[in-house]
Amino acid sequence: MASASASPLPRLVLYHQTTHDPDGNLISILPLITQPGIKITHIIVAAIHINEDPDGLTLNDHPPSDPRFTTLWAELRIAQASGITVLGMLGGAAKGSYTRLDGDKSSFERYYTPLAALIRSQGLQGLDLDVEEPTSLGGIVRLVDRLRGDFGPDFVLTLAPVATALLDPRRNLSGFDYKALETMRGSQIAWYNAQFYCGWGDAHTPLLYEMCVACGWPPEKLVMGLVTTPDNGAGWVPFEVLGATLRMLRERFPRFGGVMGWEYFNGRPGGKDRPWEWAQTMTGLLGSGQAPAVESERDKPPSPVEIDPDSEQGEEVQVPRHFEYHTDDDDDDDNDNDD
């Protein structure tokens, strides 16, 4: 597939879900283009939800055509013109999108058609399938086949499994076996944005990534997913530690797939004031494997840090029951889109 083989390595992928601040002001992605020392390869705008009404598609808590998104879509087109590939993310923690696509043929068509229309209208170059609800293998294969058939060989298809799902189908949020999917449709899937955080993985060392490769996952298709700040979930890895991990992975795997960050708006070290600094720092780490020479106090995780509360006593990591993402409209009690 052209889009997968042509993808630059290592990738630097960044999710963009919290698109506005609490006052409704847009959180601009343009500094990812204008600030020096940043080599973002992919931006994934999140999260697209398929709701009960087939025509009621939402981006987080609002229709994608809502005027609040006009400047967002314009900035994403600027990113594309600057050489960054822009994908949409379908699903996430809010349930229902994949259940609705997993029905019979007529039901699939009703819910798929508005999704395809959104992809076309906004010129999205790919779709990230973040399946966090029970879904059949046949259902996800049908969706992959339809997207490939409708949007051609250069349309980028990725998935976002928790890292443990790549080793054990029982430790999984998606319901289907990712190994089976890779066997059946691996040629159509560009890579996997594997979540190495929130109890589903650990990026403090290269061990889990190496285990995935040892189990047959090609390193060029395995992107290590990170939280960009402790505020976004457990599993934050300080830059000096992460630098050592990435250096070892790049030395061992020349075709290392790269890293992704959840999410843009508050990434360290700059936080909400300068969120692009996470991408700046990661560009340096991926290029040299060296951590910043000096890390200020604001860059360090708060003390004490509960990186993996389920494994402090050496016990088996327990499956988190729920993970709360940030959304644009967390106080909207009438909307169930908890992304």
Side-chain angles (χ1 to χ4, degrees), residues 161-168 171 178-179 192 194 212 215 217 222:
V162 294
T164 53
L166 301 178
L167 299 175
D168 184 349
R171 303 186 67 188
Y178 278 88
K179 266 292 190 183
Y192 296 86
C212 291
C215 285
W217 292 99
L222 185 56

Side-chain angles (χ1 to χ4, degrees), residues 4 31 60 72 80 98 109 120 124 144 159 161-162 203 300 311 337:
N60 297 326
L72 168 69
Q80 289 173 322
Y98 293 97
E109 291 296 335
R120 290 189 180 96
L124 295 176
V144 167
L159 284 95
V162 294
K300 298 178 182 178
S311 60
N337 289 338

Side-chain angles (χ1 to χ4, degrees), residues 11 38 40 93 121 162 217 222 227 240 242 249 266 300 305:
R11 303 175 190 91
I38 299 177
I40 284 282
S121 67
V162 294
W217 292 99
L222 185 56
V227 286
E240 69 273 15
L242 185 60
L249 289 174
N266 60 347
K300 298 178 182 178
V305 178

Side-chain angles (χ1 to χ4, degrees), residues 120-144:
R120 290 189 180 96
S121 67
Q122 299 303 338
L124 295 176
Q125 296 162 287
L127 197 65
D128 179 61
L129 307 180
D130 187 357
V131 188
E132 299 190 18
E133 58 186 304
T135 303
S136 71
L137 179 60
I140 205 70
V141 166
R142 177 174 61 182
L143 179 57
V144 167

